[in-house]
Amino acid sequence: MRFEPRPFTGPVPFRCLYCLDCCMGRHIYLTLDDIERIARAGYDPEEFVTFSIEGNKIRFVLAVREWDLGCVFHDPETGKCRIHDVNPIICRIYPFMVSRKPLGVEGERPFHYKGQELWLYYDESCPGINAEEPEVEITPEEIAELGLEFERKFERTDMEGLARLMDELER
């Protein structure tokens, strides 16, 4: 399945149903903070960080298994994440999305948060959205905050920072 955006304008009930879609065949961008948090939980960055070159920037991406393109931390038997407590910001945002511009989806409108104009969406194809017996109710403010946090940290993530982090982790 691919992301089917719908405007996210109010609280949405959610419960992960472990459908596995969000953990397979996607680029999960990592910030230096994500890499450090996962490494301090006992995982070797050399085993979970890969690179993506986009324009003139090197981006860090969560590694995937070759046989099914599933995230290396996804347990295919249970559908659960082995690093859920320390997972990347992008994983905490999904099945929602934060954009700096509209996508052209019917009913979308800007969401103003902390002086920023954002467009928020959720993935209509995710079966956990509006699930029966939801675990949580996700608010636009929560997702906007995570989106802005990701944006700040992602822009500061570079090869130099990774080299410094790897040196720190080796001490």
Side-chain angles (χ1 to χ4, degrees):
M1 295 172 138
R2 288 294 94 196
F3 197 91
E4 294 178 28
R6 291 294 172 254
F8 177 37
T9 58
V12 172
F14 178 76
R15 178 169 57 102
C16 182
L17 299 176
Y18 307 108
C19 71
L20 317 182
D21 186 53
C22 58
C23 300
M24 299 184 72
R26 297 182 188 272
H27 261 2
I28 305 299
Y29 292 105
L30 299 170
T31 68
L32 291 174
D33 285 353
D34 292 332
I35 296 167
E36 180 177 13
R37 196 171 48 258
I38 297 166
R40 294 204 185 278
Y43 298 93
D44 182 350
E46 291 181 19
E47 300 293 320
F48 69 84
V49 178
T50 61
F51 303 90
S52 173
I53 299 174
E54 298 174 11
N56 62 351
K57 292 192 176 210
I58 294 176
R59 299 297 191 185
F60 305 115
V61 180
L62 202 53
V64 296
R65 296 183 298 259
E66 288 183 25
W67 58 274
D68 70 349
L69 300 181
C71 169
V72 294
F73 293 118
H74 169 256
D75 182 337
E77 290 180 21
T78 65
K80 296 184 179 180
C81 177
R82 292 192 313 253
I83 61 163
H84 185 75
D85 292 339
V86 294
N87 65 2
I89 295 173
I90 286 293
C91 296
R92 286 183 268 150
I93 292 172
Y94 193 85
F96 300 90
M97 176 187 167
V98 180
S99 178
R100 286 287 183 175
K101 59 186 177 199
L103 300 181
V105 175
E106 185 179 329
E108 67 190 353
R109 61 179 190 256
F111 181 75
H112 295 91
Y113 183 76
K114 292 189 174 179
Q116 304 288 320
E117 186 173 70
L118 307 168
W119 280 262
L120 306 179
Y121 304 90
Y122 66 87
D123 185 355
E124 186 175 60
S125 72
C126 175
I129 296 287
N130 294 314
E132 291 182 25
E133 301 177 31
E135 294 172 326
V136 296
E137 186 171 81
I138 308 291
T139 66
E141 291 81 8
E142 289 174 88
I143 297 304
E145 185 65 35
L146 285 172
L148 292 175
E149 177 185 351
F150 174 76
E151 190 177 72
R152 281 189 310 272
K153 291 178 177 183
F154 193 60
E155 283 308 309
R156 294 191 321 251
T157 297
D158 59 14
M159 192 61 90
E160 204 173 283
L162 181 62
R164 276 193 310 273
L165 175 58
M166 296 300 284
D167 284 344
E168 274 180 42
L169 292 170
E170 287 178 10
R171 289 185 214 150

